[in-house]
Amino acid sequence: MIPDIISAIRAAEQTALDDISGATTLDDVVALRTRLSGKKGELAGLKKRLGSIESIDDKKAAGQAVNEAMAAVDTALDARRAELHAHALAERVEAERIDLTEYVRPSSRGHAHLVTQAWERLEDVFVGMGFRVAEGPEVETDWHNFEALNMPIGHPARGEWDTLFVDHVPPGGQPGTTVLRTHTSPVQIRTMLDEEPPIYIIAPGRVFRRDTPDATHMPVFHQIEGLVIDRGITMADLAGTIEVFTQAYFGPGFHSRLRPSYFPFTEPSAEFDIQRPNGEWIELGGSGMVHPNVLRAGGLDPEVWSGFAFGFGIDRMAKERHGIEDLREMYADDIRFIEQF
Ligand code: PHE
């Protein structure tokens, strides 16, 4: 009887282990646990039969065998459950994985503002020609914005720049002498005061004028200033620099010309125009030889140093380049407009 019951225990254990390794879901494992280790399970049934064994030793041996079998079944159930759980988790992770690259469609990627694009290209071209980028403040003193540029108080040319004043009186200063810079030319003065020549700088930046927005004017816009100070600089250097810039920025089919003009801070002064390959001329900006009074305001001796300066609108460049009809469109943040570029 003993060998019988022991082999029955072994057989029940083996069947149970086979069933467990055949389980394919966590639910299967739960069902098997109820069937195999519960009170109605086969091993439990065999355990009950131990009471009828008479020999103490036999009873002990059979009892040990049944306990071992039950422990083995429990261990197998736990192991199988852990295995299936890990598997289910891996499947879920895979199913719920988000492919982040899927959402970066080229059409949903933004781009820099048209003015920023023009600004950066202008910097690239001028830096390529040997210029360095300089900066100045947007809130300026009347002195830097006008007086040092050969426009003393009451100078009629001041009226050309519709000035926005800032309600701020500097310590020891006069009311009405703080302005939003009307052009980037005050950076000429700051640079001359800050560093020794030779000076080869460009100064892109934001400028302000008391203007009502329309197709060709904005109260806030952008200019780029150029300043060269060295020994023996002439008008030919100015013309050559503008021509090299024109072809580098616009392309080999483009040309430039200087036209006599007037600015208080340059003498002689010239406007410069760009000619498209189709022969059409576009007015671009102002330029000229730096006025001796301006050199002196910048702390330089006009007998030693000479130079040229130029300045033009960045927004205008972007407008021309992209054939935009109305400047205001560039600032309206209308996605239908922006997406065209
Ligand atoms: N500052 C001038 C303007 O705002 C442009 C300019 C710059 C002209 C430098 C001559 C020299 O119109």
Side-chain angles (χ1 to χ4, degrees):
M1 159 141 193
I2 284 303
D4 277 2
I5 197 162
I6 294 217
S7 57
I9 289 166
R10 299 263 185 269
E13 178 187 345
Q14 194 50 55
T15 315
L17 294 179
D18 287 348
D19 286 353
I20 291 166
S21 57
T24 52
T25 68
L26 286 165
D27 284 348
D28 286 355
V29 177
V30 171
L32 281 173
R33 196 183 291 278
T34 317
R35 181 155 73 77
L36 301 174
S37 37
K39 291 209 173 77
K40 292 188 182 127
E42 208 181 344
L43 286 168
L46 287 164
K47 199 172 183 178
K48 275 187 204 139
R49 282 172 51 192
L50 299 182
S52 56
I53 299 171
E54 275 164 24
S55 146
I56 299 282
D57 286 347
D58 286 352
K59 198 187 272 192
K60 218 174 141 187
Q64 200 177 337
V66 98
N67 284 340
E68 277 169 14
M70 289 178 113
V73 166
D74 272 345
T75 307
L77 281 167
D78 289 348
R80 189 66 186 145
R81 192 188 50 149
E83 234 171 73
L84 289 172
H85 189 259
H87 187 74
L89 194 70
E91 259 183 356
R92 208 177 112 194
V93 166
E94 177 61 26
E96 293 179 1
R97 194 181 70 184
I98 297 168
D99 181 359
L100 293 172
T101 61
E102 197 178 323
Y103 297 96
V104 187
R105 284 173 289 130
S107 63
S108 67
R109 205 183 244 176
H111 60 72
H113 193 277
L114 298 182
V115 170
T116 309
Q117 290 179 25
W119 175 323
E120 287 176 351
R121 266 208 70 220
L122 287 166
E123 279 190 3
D124 283 350
V125 168
F126 280 115
V127 167
M129 290 168 66
F131 286 79
R132 200 170 49 72
V133 179
E135 283 184 292
E138 293 174 351
V139 177
E140 260 300 5
T141 66
D142 178 280
W143 188 81
H144 289 90
N145 194 81
F146 290 118
E147 212 168 322
L149 289 165
N150 199 31
M151 282 180 279
I153 291 163
H155 193 289
R158 284 182 173 224
E160 305 262 316
W161 289 271
D162 299 296
T163 310
L164 287 158
F165 290 86
V166 177
D167 195 5
H168 165 79
V169 183
Q174 295 292 313
T177 56
T178 306
V179 304
L180 292 181
R181 67 176 177 190
T182 59
H183 50 178
T184 42
S185 298
V187 185
Q188 289 186 33
I189 304 297
R190 290 185 177 273
T191 308
M192 286 187 260
L193 290 172
D194 275 1
E195 46 196 85
E196 296 293 312
I199 292 170
Y200 291 79
I201 58 119
I202 50 154
R206 189 150 51 166
V207 300
F208 309 82
R209 286 186 201 173
R210 196 161 30 79
D211 257 335
T212 307
D214 64 22
T216 54
H217 296 88
M218 289 294 279
V220 180
F221 60 106
H222 304 81
Q223 284 188 334
I224 184 163
E225 191 85 6
L227 176 69
V228 167
I229 306 281
D230 209 333
R231 290 174 210 270
I233 297 291
T234 70
M235 197 91 181
D237 297 307
L238 168 62
T241 302
I242 298 288
E243 180 68 14
V244 168
F245 159 74
T246 299
Q247 293 186 16
Y249 187 85
F250 292 96
F254 287 77
H255 290 287
S256 62
R257 75 174 173 203
L258 300 184
R259 233 173 342 106
S261 185
Y262 170 75
F263 296 99
F265 29 93
T266 45
E267 182 58 38
S269 300
E271 309 236 355
F272 63 95
D273 308 328
I274 303 298
Q275 190 178 35
R276 290 208 170 101
N278 68 7
E280 197 189 336
W281 288 97
I282 319 159
E283 286 181 22
L284 207 63
S287 67
M289 301 307 291
V290 180
H291 195 287
N293 289 346
V294 175
L295 290 169
R296 276 190 282 268
L300 300 178
D301 180 353
E303 299 299 321
V304 179
W305 302 107
S306 60
F308 64 78
F310 58 84
F312 55 91
I314 301 179
D315 312 61
R316 271 284 289 291
M317 297 281 276
K319 181 176 178 289
E320 289 299 331
R321 166 129 190 255
H322 297 287
I324 293 159
E325 296 284 319
D326 190 324
L327 267 184
R328 288 169 295 188
E329 293 208 89
M330 287 207 284
Y331 294 99
D333 287 346
D334 183 334
I335 195 76
R336 291 164 302 181
F337 172 80
I338 293 166
E339 274 181 346
Q340 297 175 68
F341 304 97

